[in-house]
Amino acid sequence: GMGEAITAYLGMIGDLPRPKIGAIALASPITGDQVRMTNHNWSFSISGLRTALGFDRFDVINDFTAQALALPYLGDGKVKVGGGAPVAGHPIGVLGPGTGLGVSGLIPYGDPAAPKWIPLTGEGGHATMAPFTARESAVLDHMRKQYDHVSFERCVSGPGLVNLYNALA
């Protein structure tokens, strides 16, 4: 479980002082104290784990929320996708196809020259995939025979590419 994994990791720090504050980012919605990982069978209570680990503070956030929060600090490390030019002080986003589809973004507020940011949390990869062309409709119709819900993640991820290949084949 998560507690055992963290305890094992902390066991490797040797003689260093044990931390009193911790944070982890997970591929999972974080909506309260009880966390159930999306693509793994682990679940835990944030407050229970904080107590078990002896932390004064323990924060758990979605993995793509964490990545979005890093965006303002990347400087030229960001990659623009699509046409147009980035506009300073406007919303920015992060997408990540892997075993699932991670999605998040940041909304600016305050001084446009030096904005502060509010992260968008959620599970955008689980939003319903919408077809644009007749061919896309046919692909999604085929996928609906296998899945009750065809989400973005069912199409744009590692397993999603297999789903698209199978539908097109």
Side-chain angles (χ1 to χ4, degrees):
M2 184 60 67
E4 292 82 3
I6 294 171
T7 299
Y9 175 77
L10 292 174
M12 297 187 302
I13 65 174
D15 293 336
L16 295 173
R18 189 171 175 94
K20 289 295 195 179
I21 297 174
I24 56 173
L26 300 173
S28 179
I30 312 299
T31 57
D33 183 64
Q34 194 64 35
V35 176
R36 296 190 194 294
M37 295 178 67
T38 303
N39 295 321
H40 199 286
N41 64 357
W42 287 355
S43 65
F44 60 92
S45 158
I46 297 171
S47 61
L49 193 50
R50 180 185 67 241
T51 299
L53 295 170
F55 287 172
D56 295 334
R57 179 176 171 182
F58 183 59
D59 293 325
V60 180
I61 66 172
N62 174 271
D63 59 337
F64 270 81
T65 300
Q67 289 187 39
L69 288 167
L71 289 174
Y73 304 99
L74 292 179
D76 293 334
K78 295 185 283 284
V79 176
K80 183 181 79 63
V81 177
V87 180
H90 282 72
I92 53 179
V94 59
L95 300 171
T99 57
L101 178 63
V103 178
S104 189
L106 296 176
I107 304 295
Y109 71 95
D111 180 0
K116 295 182 180 181
W117 300 93
I118 298 171
L120 297 173
T121 59
E123 290 292 307
H126 297 287
T128 301
M129 186 70 171
F132 185 71
T133 66
R135 183 177 190 207
E136 290 172 2
S137 290
V139 167
L140 295 184
D141 286 343
H142 179 82
M143 290 175 69
R144 284 187 195 101
K145 293 175 186 172
Q146 183 175 358
Y147 302 108
D148 292 334
H149 177 238
V150 179
S151 65
F152 288 111
E153 186 169 292
R154 296 259 193 234
C155 301
V156 184
S157 66
L161 294 177
V162 174
N163 292 336
L164 289 176
Y165 171 83
N166 288 334
L168 290 167

